[in-house]
């Protein structure tokens, strides 16, 4: 190995180990592998790979290699054992290399222990944010730009008495209908809940059929400069409005009574004018009695009103003070953790310390700590991928769910692209030609699996560089999703068998032959069919055709005739 090649290996960000399949001995190792495992590069060459990889699945894997079964691995988690016996969590990949009539396996691995710590810290922060969301006294509802409910707290569910079935089955449209049905201003309420992309903040009152009054405040949720959703806050202001109405009535009553008393006294004064000279002392006493009576009436009414208002204000002030105290303690705890990490930063190795310092500078950690309060407010309004996604950053995909719901297939295509992007980005340019197809009643997670299989197949059909085009169209009775590549194509003699279980045109170890068979079954379950056309050397186009309405659905058979 030349000096240049050695330097290239030593400057790699991953551990690099070259393993001879004959005897599983390590024949090459870079400097990072030696440092993390606690060996010198020369000492590593005296070991077999099974001395390093210690998890049970790794032992089985290398036993298969020793038996002549070579399977490439694309980044899976494993455990390495250092020279001092400590265990190191890693993410690794294994690539097959043939050189000078010999077979080698190149193992690339990276230490993921710090990633684990970061994930734990993020989960802790999200847990605190969830607690803050549930601690608020208002009912909170977040809806994305597609009209889907991404979050609601327990207070919202309790205020509107949302049935458990709607919550567990995620029937978002029925939740909105349920809420609107409880309001006298049904059309206004429904219009407000569907005005997601409105860029203005709103504040209005909804009068419920049971006599309660809810104050609804909403504001748009932005991602950059684009509106991606809207957050609604509902507060039960029935008692407050009743107190305000009582205050107005008491004030009007007080003014009426004062006017009556004043009129009476003015009439009395007019009667006494004729006797003023003879009854001057009596008039003075009557005026004093009048002033005392008016003042007494005012003070009694104002005292009652003040007591009622004070009682109403005391409740929100109490929970606001409690929430602020809790939030301050949480922020203080996080600051202590950051301070503790800063205290031990000097104990890190030079390379790690430089990486941490660069990360702190890139992330502007000092500014983040100063601006934490404002960020917490924004995060509380927008929490709903991390995590989110999280949860999402579920997502909106209910992975594994077989429930049929209305779903946006173009959004599902985008989600699937995010999942396989690492597979596509180095080999293909992805062109999206969406036509805005309508939502479809389907099992979205299952269709996402179909899209994933077709995209991975398209990527693997492209040897060096090419293009993958994703096209959507619709008619009155069906929708069509096309995935077209500029890869090697499928030979005519194989075209009629591609949906057979375990049939594959890929080299040994590159595929199971089950992807298209499972995809065909999923599409058939949706009463649709798959059409495919291909030409060797030019590419392949798969068309997934699904009925828009269940009543119009017909079970189709895949067209496997090359049409180009």
């Amino acid at each position: 190995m030349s000096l240049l090649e050695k330097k290239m290996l030593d400057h790699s960000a991953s551990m690099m180990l070259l393993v001879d399949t004959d005897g599983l001995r390590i024949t090459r190792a870079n400097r990072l592998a030696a440092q993390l495992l606690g060996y010198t590069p020369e000492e590593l060459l005296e070991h077999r790979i099974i001395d390093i990889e210690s998890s049970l699945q790794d032992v089985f894997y290398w036993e298969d290699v020793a038996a002549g079964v070579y399977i490439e691995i694309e980044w899976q988690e494993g455990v390495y054992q250092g020279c001092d016996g400590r265990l190191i969590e890693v993410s690794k990949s294994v690539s097959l290399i043939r050189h000078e009539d010999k077979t080698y396996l190149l193992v690339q691995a990276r230490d993921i222990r710090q990633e684990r710590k970061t994930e734990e810290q993020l989960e802790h922060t999200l847990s605190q944010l969830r607690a803050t969301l549930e601690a608020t006294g208002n009912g909170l509802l977040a809806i994305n730009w597609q009209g889907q409910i991404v979050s609601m707290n327990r207070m919202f569910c309790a205020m509107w008495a949302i049935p458990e079935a709607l919550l567990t089955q995620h029937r978002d449209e029925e939740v909105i209908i349920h809420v609107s049905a409880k309001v006298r201003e049904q059309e206004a309420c429904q219009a407000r809940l569907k005005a997601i992309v409105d860029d203005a903040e709103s504040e209005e009152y909804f009068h419920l059929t049971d006599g309660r009054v809810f104050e609804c405040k909403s504001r748009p949720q932005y991602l950059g400069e684009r509106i991606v959703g809207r957050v609604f806050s509902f507060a039960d202001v029935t008692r407050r409005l009743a107190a305000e109405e009582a205050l107005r009535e008491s004030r009007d009553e007080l003014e009426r009574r004062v006017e009556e008393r004043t009129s009476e006294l003015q009439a009395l004064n007019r009667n006494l004018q004729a006797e003023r000279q003879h009854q001057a002392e009596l008039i003075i006493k009557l005026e004093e009695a009048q002033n005392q009576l008016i003042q007494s009436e005012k003070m009694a009414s104002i005292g009652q009103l003040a007591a009622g208002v004070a009682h109403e204000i005391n409740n929100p002030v109490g929970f606001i003070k409690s929430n602020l105290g809790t939030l301050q303690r949480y922020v203080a705890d996080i600051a202590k953790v950051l301070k503790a990490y800063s205290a031990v930063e000097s104990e890190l190795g030079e390379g790690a310390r430089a990486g941490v310092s660069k990360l702190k500078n890139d992330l502007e950690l000092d500014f983040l700590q100063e601006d934490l309060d404002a960020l917490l407010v924004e995060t509380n309004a927008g929490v709903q991928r991390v995590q989110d996604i999280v949860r999402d950053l579920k997502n909106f995909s209910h992975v594994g769910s077989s429930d049929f719901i209305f779903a946006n297939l173009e959004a599902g295509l985008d989600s699937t692209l995010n999942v396989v992007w690492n597979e596509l980005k180095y080999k293909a340019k992805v062109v999206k030609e969406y036509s805005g197809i309508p939502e479809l009643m389907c099992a979205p997670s299952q269709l996402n699996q179909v899209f994933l299989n077709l995209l991975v197949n398209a990527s693997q059909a492209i040897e060096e560089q090419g293009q993958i085009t994703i096209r959507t169209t619709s008619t009155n009775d069906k929708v069509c999703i096309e995935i077209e590549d500029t890869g090697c194509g499928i030979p005519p003699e194989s075209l009629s068998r591609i949906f057979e279980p375990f049939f594959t045109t890929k080299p040994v170890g590159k595929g199971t032959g089950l992807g298209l068979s499972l995809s065909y079954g999923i599409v058939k379950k949706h009463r649709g069919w798959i059409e495919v056309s291909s030409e060797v050397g030019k590419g392949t186009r798969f068309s997934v055709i699904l009925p828009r309405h269940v009543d119009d659905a017909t079970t189709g058979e895949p067209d496997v005739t090359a049409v180009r």
Side-chain angles (χ1 to χ4, degrees):
M1 181 169 60
S2 67
L3 179 61
L4 177 59
E5 292 170 337
K6 186 176 185 306
K7 286 186 176 181
M8 289 175 65
L9 282 175
D10 288 341
H11 282 81
S12 172
S14 300
M15 292 187 283
M16 308 284 285
L17 300 171
L18 186 64
V19 180
D20 189 342
T21 56
D22 294 333
L24 306 183
R25 188 162 297 282
I26 299 173
T27 62
R28 293 284 188 276
N30 66 347
R31 183 171 55 192
L32 180 59
Q35 289 175 349
L36 289 177
L37 295 173
Y39 296 99
T40 66
E42 293 75 17
E43 290 174 338
L44 270 178
L45 302 185
E46 299 175 1
H47 289 271
R48 302 170 69 200
I49 188 63
I50 57 178
D51 298 332
I52 305 300
E53 297 195 357
S54 59
S55 70
L56 189 59
Q57 69 174 1
D58 293 332
V59 172
F60 290 155
Y61 173 80
W62 290 113
E63 286 181 356
D64 290 341
V65 171
V69 179
Y70 310 134
I71 299 176
E72 295 187 323
I73 296 175
E74 187 71 24
W75 296 112
Q76 73 176 22
E77 294 185 4
V79 179
Y80 279 10
Q81 182 172 352
C83 69
D84 57 358
R86 75 186 189 280
L87 298 179
I88 303 172
E89 293 183 79
V90 300
S91 178
K92 68 169 188 175
S93 68
V94 180
S95 303
L96 183 65
I97 298 176
R98 301 189 187 276
H99 179 65
E100 296 181 353
D101 297 330
K102 293 201 65 175
T103 302
Y104 299 90
L105 289 175
L106 177 61
V107 181
Q108 301 180 66
R110 53 187 177 85
D111 188 351
I112 60 173
R113 288 175 293 179
Q114 185 59 40
E115 294 179 11
R116 288 285 183 270
K117 292 181 181 179
T118 302
E119 290 173 358
E120 291 174 0
Q121 293 171 4
L122 179 59
E123 181 60 30
H124 179 67
T125 300
L126 290 176
S127 176
Q128 293 176 336
L129 291 175
R130 293 189 195 101
T132 302
L133 179 66
E134 293 297 343
T136 181
N138 290 354
L140 299 180
L141 172 68
I143 303 177
N144 64 18
W145 65 275
Q146 298 171 336
Q148 298 170 331
I149 296 175
V150 296
S151 180
M152 66 178 83
N153 65 355
R154 285 192 293 269
M155 178 60 74
F156 175 84
C157 297
M159 291 172 65
W160 293 97
I162 306 296
E164 185 68 22
L166 299 186
L167 298 176
T168 56
Q169 297 175 18
H170 304 283
R171 289 146 60 181
D172 297 350
E173 183 67 24
E174 294 185 35
V175 170
I176 294 176
I177 294 174
H178 173 84
V179 169
S180 303
K182 287 181 171 289
V183 178
R184 295 176 185 171
E185 308 90 346
Q186 288 190 21
E187 294 183 0
C189 179
Q190 200 159 20
R192 169 50 59 199
L193 293 177
K194 291 185 177 181
I196 305 301
V197 295
D198 185 1
D199 60 357
E201 296 184 10
S202 70
E203 180 176 350
E204 51 203 319
Y205 292 96
F206 292 133
H207 297 80
L208 276 65
T209 55
D210 61 6
R212 291 180 295 166
V213 181
F214 287 174
E215 181 184 51
C216 174
K217 295 181 179 180
S218 72
R219 59 181 300 173
Q221 178 185 354
Y222 288 90
L223 180 61
E225 296 182 358
R226 185 167 65 93
I227 296 177
V228 297
R230 198 168 190 87
V231 178
F232 299 85
S233 173
F234 293 90
D236 188 343
V237 295
T238 307
R239 296 181 64 183
R240 191 192 77 192
L241 294 180
E244 292 175 354
E245 180 63 25
L247 177 62
R248 285 191 296 270
E249 292 178 356
S250 298
R251 184 190 60 199
D252 294 342
E253 177 64 16
L254 177 62
E255 291 177 352
R256 185 184 65 80
R257 293 177 65 181
V258 169
E259 289 177 357
E260 290 178 354
R261 296 293 187 187
T262 303
S263 298
E264 293 174 359
L265 292 173
Q266 287 176 346
L268 182 59
N269 284 335
R270 286 194 297 269
N271 294 331
L272 293 176
Q273 285 294 332
E275 302 179 7
R276 182 171 49 184
Q277 295 179 350
H278 303 285
Q279 300 179 357
E281 294 180 0
L282 181 58
I283 292 174
I284 293 174
K285 291 180 180 180
L286 287 173
E287 288 177 348
E288 290 176 355
Q290 173 192 359
N291 292 333
Q292 291 175 357
L293 180 59
I294 293 173
Q295 188 66 18
S296 176
E297 294 274 355
K298 288 182 178 180
M299 292 304 294
S301 299
I302 292 174
Q304 292 177 355
L305 295 174
V309 173
H311 178 73
E312 293 300 322
I313 294 175
N314 185 56
N315 290 335
V317 168
F319 70 71
I320 290 172
K321 182 177 180 181
S322 174
N323 289 349
L324 286 176
T326 302
L327 184 57
Q328 288 171 346
R329 289 195 298 275
Y330 288 167
V331 172
D333 290 342
I334 294 173
K336 290 178 182 178
V337 173
L338 292 175
K339 185 176 180 181
Y341 277 117
S342 298
V344 299
E345 183 179 336
S346 60
E347 298 176 17
L348 298 175
E350 181 178 355
R353 187 167 62 252
V356 172
S357 298
K358 182 177 183 303
L359 182 60
K360 287 169 64 178
N361 292 334
D362 291 345
L363 297 179
E364 299 181 352
L365 184 59
D366 293 337
F367 170 77
L368 291 180
Q369 289 180 263
E370 295 175 358
D371 203 38
L372 186 57
D373 289 340
L375 288 178
L376 284 174
V377 174
E378 295 177 2
T379 304
N380 186 51
V383 72
Q384 319 301 281
R385 87 22 150 236
V386 132
Q387 220 83 25
D388 133 152
I389 19 200
V390 238
R391 169 165 36 33
D392 350 61
L393 337 123
K394 305 311 175 205
N395 161 24
F396 355 117
S397 68
H398 303 291
V399 177
S401 171
S402 60
D403 292 339
F404 275 62
I405 60 174
F406 276 102
N408 186 312
L409 297 187
E410 293 176 351
L413 284 166
D414 288 337
S415 299
T416 307
L417 276 173
N418 290 335
V419 173
V420 298
W421 183 242
N422 194 56
E423 173 100 10
L424 306 181
K425 63 181 179 182
Y426 298 113
K427 300 180 66 176
K429 174 185 177 183
V430 177
V431 177
K432 295 190 290 187
E433 298 179 0
Y434 292 171
S435 64
I437 60 177
E439 289 189 349
L440 199 67
M441 175 64 75
C442 62
S445 64
Q446 294 185 5
L447 291 181
N448 287 349
Q449 183 64 48
V450 174
F451 302 150
L452 184 142
N453 290 337
L454 296 180
L455 288 169
V456 169
N457 286 348
S459 171
Q460 293 176 346
I462 298 172
E463 295 181 357
E464 294 183 358
Q465 287 291 326
Q467 177 172 303
I468 298 175
T469 302
I470 305 173
R471 187 179 299 108
T472 64
T473 58
S474 66
T475 64
N476 290 335
D477 57 354
K478 65 179 181 291
V479 298
C480 179
I481 299 92
E482 295 182 357
I483 297 179
E484 182 176 358
D485 65 70
T486 58
C488 60
I490 303 173
E493 63 271 15
S494 301
L495 201 57
S496 61
R497 301 186 58 198
I498 58 175
F499 294 101
E500 295 179 8
F502 304 107
F503 177 80
T504 179
T505 59
K506 300 174 186 176
V508 176
K510 291 287 287 184
T512 63
L514 291 175
L516 287 178
S517 176
L518 293 174
S519 299
Y520 171 67
I522 291 172
V523 174
K524 188 174 181 180
K525 178 181 177 181
H526 286 74
R527 297 192 178 183
W529 64 95
I530 301 177
E531 296 179 355
V532 56
S533 61
S534 182
E535 187 172 347
V536 175
K538 290 189 177 181
T540 304
R541 180 176 69 240
F542 281 88
S543 300
V544 178
I545 302 171
L546 300 168
R548 285 185 57 182
H549 309 289
V550 175
D551 293 340
D552 300 334
T554 58
T555 301
E557 295 297 331
D559 178 1
V560 292
T561 304
V563 297
R564 288 187 293 174

